[in-house]
Amino acid sequence: MNVFTSMNVVHVSTDILCLKLREIVVPAVVIRGESVWLNCTYDLGNETLYSIKWHKNNVEFYRYLPEDRPPGQKYELDGIHLDLTKTDRGNIYMPYTDVESEGIYRCEVSTEAPNFQTVKAEREMRIYG
């Protein structure tokens, strides 16, 4: 007698994991002259990082591309005072702020081919004093 057994196989693919922006930290209020950390926390899933970009009022001021040498580059913008020795990937360090530092800050994270996913979020920072 032949007995046939049916078996259901469930395969859970981890390939469905994709880029997620976990958190963006920008202090809401800063006293003029104080230092600040800006942080962009992300999860790449199974993707490869292409770039992390920071903007203030829609103008790019920092770009991190792992393939570049050096990987982190800053662009001159009023109110942006970066310390590149402490700035890395999504973590931005500004040793001091001034009235021009006020604005809306956006972090944008993108992945490599073939998916080219991008996530972004923004927060406002006000300067007092």
Side-chain angles (χ1 to χ4, degrees):
M1 176 183 255
N2 288 335
V3 177
F4 293 94
T5 305
S6 173
M7 188 164 47
N8 291 328
V9 177
V10 177
H11 176 70
V12 177
S13 174
T14 57
D15 293 338
I16 61 172
L17 294 176
C18 60
L19 175 63
K20 292 180 181 74
L21 189 58
R22 296 283 184 207
E23 183 180 35
I24 178 174
V25 177
V26 174
V29 177
V30 175
I31 303 300
R32 184 174 41 92
E34 285 186 343
S35 63
V36 295
W37 278 98
L38 310 179
N39 179 268
C40 186
T41 305
Y42 55 90
D43 181 353
L44 292 172
N46 287 347
E47 300 292 327
T48 301
L49 180 65
Y50 172 69
S51 70
I52 301 170
K53 298 176 183 177
W54 277 94
H55 300 78
K56 183 185 79 141
N57 299 332
N58 294 317
V59 179
E60 185 178 356
F61 66 86
Y62 177 75
R63 176 181 295 192
Y64 178 88
L65 284 92
E67 299 301 317
D68 282 1
R69 294 295 169 250
Q73 298 178 19
K74 69 177 180 176
Y75 305 101
E76 293 303 316
L77 184 61
D78 289 343
I80 300 298
H81 312 283
L82 296 186
D83 180 344
L84 285 180
T85 65
K86 294 183 178 179
T87 295
D88 185 42
R89 296 183 181 251
N91 300 303
I92 302 292
Y93 180 67
M94 294 177 23
Y96 65 95
T97 53
D98 58 34
V99 293
E100 296 293 323
S101 301
E102 184 169 286
I104 297 183
Y105 287 80
R106 181 176 71 236
C107 174
E108 187 175 291
V109 181
S110 300
T111 61
E112 283 279 8
N115 294 334
F116 298 110
Q117 298 177 47
T118 299
V119 292
K120 56 189 167 186
E122 58 186 35
R123 301 282 182 270
E124 184 176 15
M125 182 169 71
R126 294 199 174 259
I127 305 296
Y128 291 98

